[in-house]
Amino acid sequence: MKRQILFFFLALVGTLSIEAKVQLPRLFQSGMVLQRNKAIPVWGKANAQEKVTIRWNKREYATVADDAGRWRIDLPKMKAGGPYVLEVRGEDGEVSEISDVLVGDVWLCSGQSNIDVTIERVYPQYVDEIEHFDNNKIRLFRVQNETNTHGVQDDIRPTTINWKPLTKQNAWLFSALGSFLGIRMFEKTKVPQGIIVNSWGGTPIEAWISADSLMADYPMQIKKLAFYQNDNYVKAQMQANNEANKRWDELLNKIDGTTFYPLPSYQDSDWKTINQNDWNWRGIGSVWLRQHIYIDKEHAGKPARLLLGTLFDQDITYLNGKEIGHTYYQYPPRRYDIPEGLLQEGDNVIAVRFINKYGAVHFIKDKPYLLAFGEDRFSQNPMPKDIIPLSDTWKFHLGAEMPSCPSGDVSLQNQATTLYNAVLYPLAPYALSGVVWYQGESNTGNPGPYADLLRKLMGNWRTLWNEPTLPFCIVQLAKYMYPSDPGYANWQKLRDQQRIVAEGDPYAEAADIFDLGEENDIHPLRKKEAAEIVGQYFDKLIAK
């Protein structure tokens, strides 16, 4: 009986293997953009020794998969144009059809959080332009975040933004710099543009470099990686971290008076008065701030937007006892919409609950703190005409002091080579026009080796794509912090490392966006202007 079951199982597996459909990487989807004026690699998997045929631009091309089932066909160079249909067929005759394919320029935008910054984040800077986003010849593709500690993988994960045309809705959670770069390059060239964004906030450059490129000069990074190749350990640590955070939140909420502090009827006369520009609470746990604001008859009941600058760290914000916004970490600007009817004539109460697991609770200076009214309340460039500024003074009350939250987080995305393995290697050899590399903030703690690491990354990627002249635009770090701040000198050193690498590489340029930065914000919002500078540098590189 056991032999019969085994025979049936093996026969079934063999049948499924024979009938397996020819597979393409997830980059190959309807709506994609292929690179003009270069050979177009198309690759994938099939059964071992299976014949694979591609029909493209009225011609057919064929190859045979190797013993591992891998195949590749390089289609001939083409001028910009489209739309086309790409058909891939295996020996079973079943056809995979990819439609609405354009040929133009393809840009890979990679790095950390300043590539991640979305159109939603910068919307107040460019309200009118973003409202009119509508260009079917600019296509957006977002690589889904993933890590791999064991080695390179064949494909990326499914993604929600997969070669979608540029519209406000499609770009809303897509890279702002990538979106504006696509617009800029389309206006310059008048050919289709494909923008592939592959970034992860807070990640160091080492995560984006292959293990063999790091091993000789940075062996400890690779040896450390081996520690995280134990899946049971990683799973246990992550589960422990989740449970610790859950328990910490439960204890905090049990102690803290969250039910009555936001209410307008609560009497806060005995709370201490503080000035937001000359105050912080260095501790762990929660604090409450309340501010009374008078609303006249003209503004009562109207919808509004509350701007609360940028806060450290987590906040839950209430108006007249109703939660209007919640931000889970320090960087996003606080822009909370107030629905019609919530603001009442006379006294209104804004209550902010800060939750902090480290550092000092504080407001970020020189950010907007106000109520905005009218149709232009979503804009910050220019600022709305009808505003009511908030006071600098608040009523302060300690919610709950807490011990530090135990952490078992292993942050695999910050370990050497994990992103190269999972989200960079599977993209090659998809033909590109160039690479935007905007990263470095997470390496400012030790800027000395950065030039060497950046050279390794560029050489590593060019080898992977088998393109020694693949253009790189290195976006130098924008202005951040004040000269008197302890970390300022390291930021300067890292910018200099970026410049040195670009000057020594004939197919790289350093984009100087220093003046687009903000001393009090690591994520400057002027991404359209940054994209213009990047585009100008690509003009130079392409001209070479």
Side-chain angles (χ1 to χ4, degrees):
M1 183 65 179
K2 290 181 179 179
R3 289 180 179 178
Q4 288 177 328
I5 293 173
L6 179 60
F7 177 81
F8 175 79
F9 176 77
L10 292 174
L12 177 62
V13 170
T15 301
L16 291 175
S17 176
I18 293 171
E19 295 179 354
K21 185 178 179 180
V22 172
Q23 297 177 6
L24 288 162
R26 291 195 172 94
L27 266 176
F28 288 84
Q29 299 185 36
S30 293
M32 68 182 180
V33 180
L34 298 175
Q35 179 61 44
R36 61 172 170 159
N37 301 332
K38 290 184 179 181
I40 301 171
V42 182
W43 71 98
K45 290 183 178 180
N47 293 313
Q49 299 301 315
E50 181 177 3
K51 181 181 178 182
V52 178
T53 303
I54 291 179
R55 183 169 178 80
W56 168 252
N57 195 25
K58 301 179 181 178
R59 295 186 63 183
E60 288 195 350
Y61 307 85
T63 190
V64 175
D66 64 17
D67 290 341
R70 302 178 186 277
W71 60 268
R72 171 176 169 174
I73 294 174
D74 287 351
L75 302 176
K77 300 177 183 179
M78 289 186 65
K79 294 181 179 179
Y84 298 98
V85 174
L86 178 71
E87 295 180 354
V88 181
R89 184 175 68 252
E91 289 180 351
D92 61 0
E94 188 171 356
V95 175
S96 295
E97 181 178 292
I98 300 175
S99 60
D100 192 25
V101 179
L102 302 179
V103 177
D105 290 329
V106 182
W107 309 96
L108 174 60
C109 301
S110 193
Q112 55 181 107
S113 55
N114 269 297
I115 287 285
D116 276 343
V117 168
T118 63
I119 285 294
E120 184 273 336
R121 178 82 69 89
V122 305
Y123 176 75
Q125 298 291 313
Y126 315 101
V127 170
D128 185 64
E129 182 171 359
I130 293 172
E131 284 292 335
H132 292 90
F133 273 4
D134 187 17
N135 192 328
N136 188 48
K137 292 191 175 180
I138 300 172
R139 307 285 174 84
L140 314 175
F141 189 100
R142 180 63 167 94
V143 177
Q144 186 68 27
N145 287 347
E146 187 177 12
T147 62
N148 193 318
T149 60
H150 297 280
V152 297
Q153 60 191 53
D154 291 330
D155 206 356
I156 55 177
R157 294 172 58 193
T159 181
T160 56
I161 304 179
N162 44 11
W163 296 118
K164 294 185 177 180
L166 177 75
T167 64
K168 176 188 173 184
Q169 180 180 358
N170 290 339
W172 193 244
L173 298 179
F174 192 77
S175 166
L177 189 143
S179 298
F180 285 120
L181 178 64
I183 294 169
R184 192 268 179 196
M185 299 308 287
F186 178 80
E187 291 174 348
K188 179 76 174 180
T189 64
K190 306 303 181 187
V191 305
Q193 300 292 312
I195 306 296
I196 301 172
V197 169
N198 187 19
S199 54
W200 194 326
T203 54
I205 191 172
E206 294 91 333
W208 298 93
I209 304 174
S210 69
D212 56 354
S213 296
L214 291 171
M215 189 61 189
D217 297 318
Y218 304 93
M220 293 307 297
Q221 298 239 17
I222 304 305
K223 291 178 181 178
K224 181 182 177 184
L225 179 66
F227 191 68
Y228 299 105
Q229 291 171 341
N230 183 317
D231 293 338
N232 290 332
Y233 166 76
V234 171
K235 182 179 179 180
Q237 288 292 90
M238 288 185 170
Q239 184 176 354
N241 186 63
N242 290 335
E243 290 299 322
N245 276 286
K246 181 180 177 181
R247 182 58 178 160
W248 193 91
D249 289 338
E250 288 174 352
L251 293 172
L252 174 71
N253 292 330
K254 184 177 181 180
I255 301 169
D256 196 1
T258 57
T259 58
F260 45 88
Y261 292 156
L263 299 176
S265 59
Y266 179 79
Q267 296 298 312
D268 56 20
S269 56
D270 61 341
W271 286 20
K272 180 181 178 181
T273 300
I274 61 98
N275 185 295
Q276 71 180 48
N277 296 317
D278 187 24
W279 167 87
N280 60 48
W281 179 72
R282 185 170 295 279
I284 298 170
S286 67
V287 295
W288 285 87
L289 299 182
R290 284 168 55 98
Q291 179 171 151
H292 295 257
I293 186 166
Y294 179 83
I295 298 297
D296 58 25
K297 184 176 181 179
E298 178 186 355
H299 294 96
K302 290 186 175 179
R305 170 166 276 204
L306 174 65
L307 301 185
L308 268 182
T310 306
L311 309 175
F312 184 90
D313 186 41
Q314 181 184 166
D315 77 282
I316 308 172
T317 297
Y318 303 81
L319 178 68
N320 294 334
K322 303 289 186 181
E323 182 179 332
I324 59 171
H326 190 165
T327 304
Y328 292 92
Y329 66 111
Q330 70 180 95
Y331 295 116
R334 272 53 169 183
R335 305 167 185 151
Y336 297 145
D337 291 320
I338 300 170
E340 185 176 357
L342 186 56
L343 283 169
Q344 60 190 22
E345 185 177 358
D347 185 56
N348 294 260
V349 174
I350 299 168
V352 182
R353 184 193 188 203
F354 283 93
I355 299 173
N356 210 43
K357 294 186 178 181
Y358 67 97
V361 175
H362 60 279
F363 292 81
I364 306 299
K365 294 182 179 180
D366 301 321
K367 292 290 185 179
Y369 297 90
L370 54 88
L371 280 171
F373 297 84
E375 294 299 319
D376 64 347
R377 66 184 181 275
F378 302 105
S379 173
Q380 287 179 235
N381 183 29
M383 289 296 291
K385 300 181 183 67
D386 188 2
I387 66 171
I388 299 177
L390 299 185
S391 170
D392 291 341
T393 59
W394 296 76
K395 290 287 189 173
F396 161 83
H397 183 74
L398 175 64
E401 288 190 275
M402 294 283 292
S404 297
C405 181
S407 177
D409 185 13
V410 295
S411 299
L412 294 179
Q413 74 274 15
N414 295 329
Q415 307 306 319
T417 207
T418 56
L419 298 182
Y420 174 89
N421 290 342
V423 294
L424 192 281
Y425 181 88
L427 303 185
Y430 198 91
L432 304 172
S433 191
V435 176
V436 181
W437 178 250
Y438 190 170
Q439 189 277 340
E441 297 92 336
S442 291
N443 287 89
T444 53
N446 180 26
Y450 193 82
D452 180 55
L453 290 166
L454 183 53
R455 290 189 192 99
K456 288 183 185 298
L457 179 140
M458 292 164 61
N460 192 188
W461 292 20
R462 285 169 173 161
T463 299
L464 182 60
W465 261 265
N466 193 26
E467 192 170 346
T469 62
L470 180 64
F472 273 77
C473 183
I474 304 161
V475 185
Q476 289 183 281
L477 297 186
K479 174 174 56 179
Y480 177 59
M481 296 190 290
Y482 297 91
S484 58
D485 290 336
Y488 187 85
N490 275 6
W491 279 65
Q492 290 284 66
K493 289 177 183 176
L494 196 134
R495 286 188 200 99
D496 200 46
Q497 297 272 292
Q498 292 171 321
R499 175 190 59 80
I500 290 169
V501 172
E503 288 179 351
D505 189 312
Y507 302 103
E509 291 279 353
D512 182 358
I513 63 164
F514 183 84
D515 291 338
L516 299 180
E518 303 173 33
E519 290 91 345
N520 59 0
D521 199 333
I522 201 171
H523 302 119
L525 298 180
R526 295 170 63 190
K527 298 304 185 192
K528 178 183 178 181
E529 292 82 352
E532 174 62 30
I533 294 172
V534 170
Q536 291 173 7
Y537 283 110
F538 272 130
D539 293 343
K540 293 182 184 179
L541 289 168
I542 293 170
K544 292 180 180 180

